[in-house]
Amino acid sequence: MNFSLCDQCKASYSSLTFDETCCYTSNVAPFGSLVWLDEHPLPWNELICDDCQQTVRRLVHLRTAVWRGETIENEFQSFWAQAKTHIPSWPGFRRLSLNTEQEAALEECAQEVDDMIANMRKTIPSFGVINQLGDMSFTARPAKPWWQFWR
């Protein structure tokens, strides 16, 4: 797995600057993690192309794993190293540990994601979640075939 951003998105991320006074927020979607306002071009979903959004979600997922002290597999260590080469000034690389308050906020965010998914499982027939290194997608099928809705 390679870290890759198109030229425009790479330029957007390279232009970000670290602000130690910046506040963080719990971001259930699309990241399922904490983010600081200086870490992403805003509005993110409009300024970052779809292909690059997937790459950035994986980067944020890996940083979250670092915060939790999880072991990063070799192929993902390579992705992390490539990210540091491509966007070395990304403010997120300066926030590789959390204080006690931030750790609690991260756990609250994870619980919120779990609660959201549990609620969807209860209310949507055949609901499924696919989570591949922070790139979460959902599947759902109606309780009956589409053609039966018009009978």
Side-chain angles (χ1 to χ4, degrees):
M1 174 178 306
N2 292 315
F3 181 90
S4 176
L5 294 176
C6 71
D7 290 341
Q8 181 178 340
C9 293
K10 182 177 179 180
S12 293
Y13 272 90
S14 295
S15 71
L16 298 172
T17 57
F18 176 78
D19 176 1
E20 71 178 54
T21 65
C22 192
C23 61
Y24 66 90
T25 185
S26 176
N27 184 284
V28 173
F31 298 122
S33 188
L34 302 181
V35 294
W36 279 254
L37 298 176
D38 64 354
E39 293 179 346
H40 303 283
L42 299 173
W44 187 74
N45 60 333
E46 293 177 20
L47 295 176
I48 304 303
C49 69
D50 291 344
D51 290 339
C52 293
Q53 285 182 23
Q54 179 181 25
T55 298
V56 173
R57 285 191 303 266
R58 288 180 172 159
L59 176 62
V60 171
H61 177 78
L62 283 175
R63 184 183 59 177
T64 302
V66 168
W67 286 338
R68 291 191 167 132
E70 297 173 8
T71 302
I72 308 298
E73 297 176 27
N74 286 340
E75 68 179 288
F76 305 128
Q77 288 177 4
S78 174
F79 179 91
W80 183 259
Q82 290 171 25
K84 285 183 166 184
T85 299
H86 286 278
I87 52 171
S89 63
W90 180 55
F93 290 132
R94 299 205 34 199
R95 296 183 178 107
L96 298 180
S97 62
L98 301 176
N99 64 32
T100 305
E101 175 186 310
Q102 294 162 345
E103 287 174 351
L106 181 62
E107 291 313 309
E108 287 176 20
C109 181
Q111 186 60 55
E112 192 172 344
V113 170
D114 290 346
D115 291 348
M116 177 187 73
I117 290 171
N119 186 49
M120 288 183 187
R121 287 186 197 278
K122 282 190 242 176
T123 57
I124 300 173
S126 304
F127 179 78
V129 178
I130 301 166
N131 188 352
Q132 297 177 331
L133 188 61
D135 196 19
M136 198 176 289
S137 59
F138 306 101
T139 60
R141 290 191 318 253
K144 56 186 177 179
W146 64 269
W147 61 86
Q148 291 181 357
F149 284 99
W150 286 280
R151 288 189 178 174

